[in-house]
Amino acid sequence: MSPATPIATDVLVIGWGLSGLVAASEAAAAGKKVVIVDQEPRSNLGGQAWWSFGGLFFVDSPEQRRMGVKDSLDLARQDWFGNAAFDREEDAWPRRWAEAYLQFAAGEKRSWLREKGVGFFPVVGWAERGGYGAMGPGNSVPRFHITWGTGPGIVAPFQATVEAAEATGRVTILPRHRVTALVAADGAVTGASGDVLAPSGAVRGAASSREVVGSFEITAGATIVTSGGIGGNHDLVRAMWPSRLGTAPATMVTGVPAYVDGSMLPVVESAGARLINGDRMWHYVEGIQNWNPVWPDHGIRILPGPSSLWLDATGSRLPVPLYPGFDTLGTLAHLRATGHDHSWFVLSHKIVEKEFTLSGSEQNPDLTGKDVPLLVKSRLGKGAAGPVQAFLDHGADFVVRENLDDLIAGMKALPGGEVLDGERVRLELEARDREIDNDFTKDAQIAMLRSARSYRGDRLVRTAPPHRILDPAAGPLIAVKLHVLTRKSLGGIETDLSARALAAGGEPVRGLYAAGEASGFGGGGVHGYRALEGTFVGGCLFSGRIAGRAAAAAV
């Protein structure tokens, strides 16, 4: 194979996920010529964000105020920094990015998106509730704003802008171009080279071939890396797994497509950029095997309301405040210490009807399709939403039975169920149910349920009225086997506030920028140890915007 003729451009964007599309649209809007490359077929334009629930973190938004939520920049800052627990020398730039992102979330973020036609579901969700002290982890108030149209709805305006620029020749999009090296001259990155892969008809999200049919080289005044994280590469996840979270799971399900493989990180490091905070990662513990998978080991996350009883693999209840939706990282650390790779939700059908939402655009056809009648039926009508019912009917991790004896037997019949202590399950359920009879209780989870229902959004669509799980009128009973679900890298390429990649000595690597998950969503780790939710998609928007504008200004 002979090398292709080099392509010249002002700005090269490596990766066409949301941060890449935003960066490209900003650079093109500044009048620059842009080339976008990605190793996948064009069916994957938009990357991971297309599959997302489209949640966005805003501070003191009109939606919050209409729901009676009092928020402020000071409260959000208290939550962010209590959550992040920055404690390293390497956190210098992440701290600055965190402050800048908070200002953005409390300022022009919403109006900027509204100008692009992006709308939001009126009920604000309350994710990562914490349950510790005021300065500990968690969101003090609901801040999770769902994009009307979910992930595809947030991708659409930026994709449209890029494709309009493509039609005029301002932007060139090159699918099946895998970068294997960054090209440098006189100490500056001047572009990239790599392999041209064979054309692929793979549908969005499905694994594609890595057959090489050619090579390429692109020269650019500025190169922006927006190649994502490592969640599709279990070997790399295990290699980076921190000891503070116990041992890495032997088995996991995958919350991102296989192309989220971390392959660009060593390429960037070889070019002189510094990678930091690689041991910080964000994986969920409410993962279930997708009964209708798109990519290998495809898992879906349950976005649970707060009522399900959470048991470890042996049947013991998780400690305070490790309830559904309260502290993802704390729950992960606790469960890894049990020596088992799975845990359980036990709940009633009444709870599943009100509280189970599945993460992902394809699991929420009402919101994704902007279908108001279906939305009313799914969120306010009787019975479980259609996608949830499909898992109840077909999901390998779901056990649905009319009585507790049969439920326990069904749990024990699943792989790993032999370690379950059925009598412990019975003891935990019966003890919990005795606490329901009074309006006051010593059970902190039940107290939190009642507190949650004081927020009208939870009462309307997210939290079932407290009731006995074993009440036959609330049945049938349901148990869900939960797996660790790989998702996000919280560390990455260290960048300054102009999204310039930094070398080990702290100086910028000339010509090189980074955004999105590849940069830890900014600075090399804007979230610190924990994420407040709604900040991944938002981090792609913010860092991509900064990178695109800065790169355009530099060439």
Side-chain angles (χ1 to χ4, degrees), residues 28 56 72 90 102 106 118 158 174 181 190 198 220 242 259-260 289 332 362-363 365 406 414 416 427 466 479 519 546:
L56 290 168
S72 69
E90 294 90 343
L102 286 165
V118 179
F158 300 100
L174 300 175
T190 57
Y259 57 72
V260 187
Q289 301 171 80
L332 176 60
E362 83 286 11
Q363 299 295 332
D406 289 347
L414 292 185
L427 181 67
S519 67
I546 288 175

Side-chain angles (χ1 to χ4, degrees), residues 31-44:
K32 304 303 177 182
K33 186 177 180 181
V34 181
V35 172
I36 305 171
V37 298
D38 197 283
Q39 67 182 354
E40 292 306 306
R42 187 153 177 159
S43 56
N44 287 282

Side-chain angles (χ1 to χ4, degrees), residues 362-435:
E362 83 286 11
Q363 299 295 332
N364 294 275
D366 51 353
L367 292 163
T368 301
K370 302 181 182 180
D371 187 332
V372 174
L374 181 60
L375 177 73
V376 172
K377 179 182 177 182
S378 298
R379 312 289 162 169
L380 300 176
K382 293 284 189 181
V388 174
Q389 187 60 53
F391 273 91
L392 289 170
D393 294 339
H394 307 294
D397 297 312
F398 284 73
V399 181
V400 183
R401 299 290 188 271
E402 292 295 334
N403 61 71
L404 184 55
D405 287 338
D406 289 347
L407 186 78
I408 292 170
M411 295 166 73
K412 283 178 167 289
L414 292 185
E418 66 277 0
V419 303
L420 187 73
D421 181 344
E423 287 308 307
R424 184 70 192 187
V425 174
R426 184 184 306 278
L427 181 67
E428 296 282 14
L429 277 164
E430 291 177 346
R432 180 263 184 206
D433 277 4
R434 291 189 190 101
E435 295 288 324

Side-chain angles (χ1 to χ4, degrees), residues 287-542:
I288 51 176
Q289 301 171 80
N290 193 349
W291 66 273
N292 188 23
V294 177
W295 53 78
D297 301 313
H298 189 174
I300 297 293
R301 185 198 175 199
I302 296 171
L303 300 173
S307 297
S308 297
L309 194 67
W310 205 334
L311 307 177
D312 68 19
T314 69
S316 293
R317 190 175 180 184
L318 271 58
V320 177
L322 305 184
Y323 312 129
F326 277 69
D327 179 9
T328 293
L329 199 71
T331 307
L332 176 60
H334 173 81
L335 289 173
R336 294 312 309 143
T338 68
H340 302 286
D341 287 353
H342 69 278
S343 61
W344 298 94
F345 279 164
V346 178
L347 61 151
S348 67
H349 199 273
K350 187 174 181 179
I351 292 172
V352 89
E353 288 180 359
K354 188 83 168 181
E355 298 193 5
F356 266 36
T357 299
L358 302 174
S359 182
S361 56
E362 83 286 11
Q363 299 295 332
N364 294 275
D366 51 353
L367 292 163
T368 301
K370 302 181 182 180
D371 187 332
V372 174
L374 181 60
L375 177 73
V376 172
K377 179 182 177 182
S378 298
R379 312 289 162 169
L380 300 176
K382 293 284 189 181
V388 174
Q389 187 60 53
F391 273 91
L392 289 170
D393 294 339
H394 307 294
D397 297 312
F398 284 73
V399 181
V400 183
R401 299 290 188 271
E402 292 295 334
N403 61 71
L404 184 55
D405 287 338
D406 289 347
L407 186 78
I408 292 170
M411 295 166 73
K412 283 178 167 289
L414 292 185
E418 66 277 0
V419 303
L420 187 73
D421 181 344
E423 287 308 307
R424 184 70 192 187
V425 174
R426 184 184 306 278
L427 181 67
E428 296 282 14
L429 277 164
E430 291 177 346
R432 180 263 184 206
D433 277 4
R434 291 189 190 101
E435 295 288 324
I436 287 291
D437 289 338
N438 295 290
D439 291 336
F440 43 88
T441 179
K442 70 177 182 181
D443 189 305
Q445 183 177 5
I446 294 172
M448 290 299 295
L449 299 183
R450 291 174 175 148
S451 173
R453 285 180 60 81
S454 68
Y455 167 51
R456 73 182 71 149
D458 271 359
R459 187 170 64 253
L460 182 65
V461 297
R462 287 296 285 151
T463 306
H467 62 277
R468 290 185 297 112
I469 290 175
L470 295 176
D471 183 354
L477 293 168
I478 299 166
V480 186
K481 182 183 175 183
L482 305 172
H483 309 261
V484 175
L485 175 87
T486 62
R487 187 61 67 86
K488 296 296 180 185
S489 311
L490 298 188
I493 304 162
E494 186 177 27
T495 60
D496 65 12
L497 284 178
S498 294
R500 296 182 299 179
L502 302 178
E507 71 280 5
V509 179
R510 288 188 292 126
L512 184 61
Y513 299 77
E517 192 175 353
S519 67
F521 303 90
V526 68
H527 300 94
Y529 287 94
R530 284 176 163 91
L532 282 172
E533 297 291 5
T535 56
F536 297 138
V537 170
C540 288
L541 293 169
F542 185 53

